[in-house]
């Protein structure tokens, strides 16, 4: 079976057009599928493959208007792939995932060498995961107060807020599931 793949034409990285041959074998075999993520994508991009979305700009996500786009641009995040792999999101997500496992008392073996010193500012090095989770996003090592202020304009004030930012969650899901497309 021959499957015609969509072709992406980039006029700039921030905008792209999709050219898909109308009569493709792939379209006819997938026409009865019900997958869609219309609440995460702008209408014009709902029919694109996950692979196309992963390679495309963040602006295809629902809720990313000019103001949010400007914030992500200043943070150096241009594509869905960039957002999914953003190291500060991954740090925040990992800290948040472990936060509920560590706040039962002050137990820590005397000889423990566990640390995340390369992920947090000096103050956070002695804190429990739950304390770091509740800290300002700028407490992640490498995120300046200025970038913390940028994040606050999109509702991200704490490490936990970044871990649960819907744009990052959507981007991560799109990129991960794109690996399983035919």
């Amino acid at each position: 079976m021959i499957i015609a793949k969509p072709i992406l034409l980039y006029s700039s990285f921030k905008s792209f057009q999709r050219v898909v041959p109308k009569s493709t074998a792939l379209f006819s075999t997938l026409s009865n599928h019900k997958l869609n993520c219309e609440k995460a994508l702008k209408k014009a991009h709902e029919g694109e493959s996950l692979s196309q979305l992963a390679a495309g700009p963040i602006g295809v996500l629902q809720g990313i208007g000019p103001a949010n786009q400007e914030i992500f641009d200043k943070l150096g995040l241009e594509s869905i792939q960039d957002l999914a792999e953003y190291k500060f999101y991954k740090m925040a997500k990992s800290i948040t995932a472990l936060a509920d496992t560590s706040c039962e008392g002050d137990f820590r073996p005397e000889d423990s060498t566990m640390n995340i010193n390369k992920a947090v500012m000096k103050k956070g090095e002695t804190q429990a995961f739950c304390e770091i989770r509740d800290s300002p996003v700028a407490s992640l090592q490498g995120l300046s107060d200025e970038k913390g202020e940028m994040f606050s304009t999109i509702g991200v004030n704490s490490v936990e807020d970044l871990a649960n930012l819907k744009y990052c969650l959507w981007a991560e899901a799109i990129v991960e599931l794109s690996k399983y497309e035919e």
Side-chain angles (χ1 to χ4, degrees):
M1 171 187 346
I2 297 175
I3 297 176
K5 296 216 175 203
I7 303 165
L8 293 178
L9 299 175
Y10 288 88
S11 55
S12 76
F13 192 73
K14 302 236 184 300
S15 63
F16 66 96
Q17 296 178 334
R18 181 175 66 120
V19 179
V20 180
K22 291 285 184 199
S23 58
T24 65
L26 179 61
F27 177 76
S28 64
T29 61
L30 297 180
S31 63
N32 65 344
H33 285 88
K34 295 180 181 178
L35 284 181
N36 194 2
C37 44
E38 70 274 5
K39 292 183 180 178
L41 300 172
K42 291 181 179 168
K43 193 79 173 154
H45 303 281
E46 289 178 11
E48 294 171 9
S49 71
L50 293 167
S51 298
Q52 288 173 308
L53 292 167
I58 292 172
V60 305
L61 296 175
Q62 195 69 259
I64 303 287
N68 286 353
Q69 183 69 56
E70 185 178 341
I71 299 297
F72 288 117
D73 288 347
K74 286 179 180 177
L75 292 168
L77 302 168
E78 295 180 344
S79 71
I80 298 288
Q81 182 94 31
D82 292 342
L83 192 55
E85 295 173 354
Y86 189 46
K87 78 175 187 176
F88 299 108
Y89 164 64
K90 290 188 171 277
M91 284 181 207
K93 185 177 159 190
S94 299
I95 290 165
T96 300
L98 292 174
D100 291 335
T101 70
S102 70
C103 286
E104 299 291 325
D106 291 329
F107 175 77
R108 178 177 164 102
E110 284 185 35
D111 60 345
S112 178
T113 58
M114 183 186 301
N115 72 82
I116 57 169
N117 295 352
K118 293 181 180 179
V120 295
M121 301 298 276
K122 198 72 169 160
K123 178 184 175 189
E125 290 179 5
T126 59
Q127 294 179 322
F129 284 118
C130 59
E131 295 171 300
I132 300 167
R133 172 198 61 204
D134 298 335
S135 296
V137 72
S139 64
L140 296 174
Q141 195 171 102
L143 265 183
S144 64
D145 289 336
E146 180 185 358
K147 288 183 179 179
E149 303 253 340
M150 282 190 255
F151 269 119
S152 71
T153 64
I154 58 172
V156 174
N157 297 302
S158 68
V159 170
E160 183 176 27
D161 291 340
L162 179 55
N164 295 314
L165 183 62
K166 67 182 178 182
Y167 306 122
C168 292
L169 294 167
W170 292 343
E172 183 179 44
I174 288 167
V175 169
E176 183 60 28
L177 291 175
S178 71
K179 298 172 186 174
Y180 303 98
E181 286 184 325
E182 287 185 7

